[in-house]
Amino acid sequence: EGAWKWCSGLQCSGSTNTLDALKFGLSVTDVDGVYLLTDGSPDLPEEMILSQIKLYKEVPVHTISFNCNDRTANEFLCSLAQETAARFHVVRSDKSAKYNGPDPPYSALIPC
């Protein structure tokens, strides 16, 4: 519940620097898993990000697509989760909005 309150207060702005966020999370000592919450496409090519994270220790990177209707971005998040033996989730604040992304089993539509 505390994490949800914290996430609810976040404001989105600027670009989506996915690689730096992942590097930060994966560099934490004794990390057991990383949660990547994003609302859009990364600002670097997806292939570059996937190859760069292989340089770090094997840690699950659970991905959360938040109100993102970009199919390419959602497919990347799903691939990132699969590559790291993690889970991909989709969160929509507008329950009536159409989701555009990978189908289950790697996707779970979670209404807010």
Side-chain angles (χ1 to χ4, degrees):
E1 186 176 316
W4 177 250
K5 286 182 183 177
W6 179 81
C7 287
S8 296
L10 295 176
Q11 296 294 319
C12 301
S13 65
S15 66
T16 304
N17 193 340
T18 305
L19 183 57
D20 280 352
L22 289 170
K23 285 180 175 180
F24 178 80
L26 293 169
S27 67
V28 174
T29 305
D30 297 328
V31 65
D32 293 324
V34 172
Y35 288 83
L36 176 67
L37 172 70
T38 185
D39 69 340
S41 295
D43 58 358
L44 294 172
E46 287 103 8
E47 300 81 23
M48 180 179 173
I49 296 169
L50 292 172
S51 67
Q52 287 290 308
I53 64 161
K54 291 178 181 176
L55 301 174
Y56 290 82
K57 60 186 171 189
E58 292 183 22
V59 173
V61 178
H62 303 283
T63 57
I64 305 160
S65 171
F66 185 74
N67 287 339
C68 178
N69 202 32
D70 180 332
R71 183 167 191 84
T72 303
N74 287 325
E75 287 172 348
F76 162 71
L77 293 173
C78 185
S79 294
L80 178 58
Q82 285 178 308
E83 291 279 329
T84 61
R87 301 180 99 188
F88 167 60
H89 297 280
V90 176
V91 178
R92 311 284 300 170
S93 60
D94 181 356
K95 296 175 185 123
S96 65
K98 185 177 182 234
Y99 166 65
N100 186 12
D103 293 327
Y106 298 106
S107 173
L109 188 61
I110 304 169
C112 297

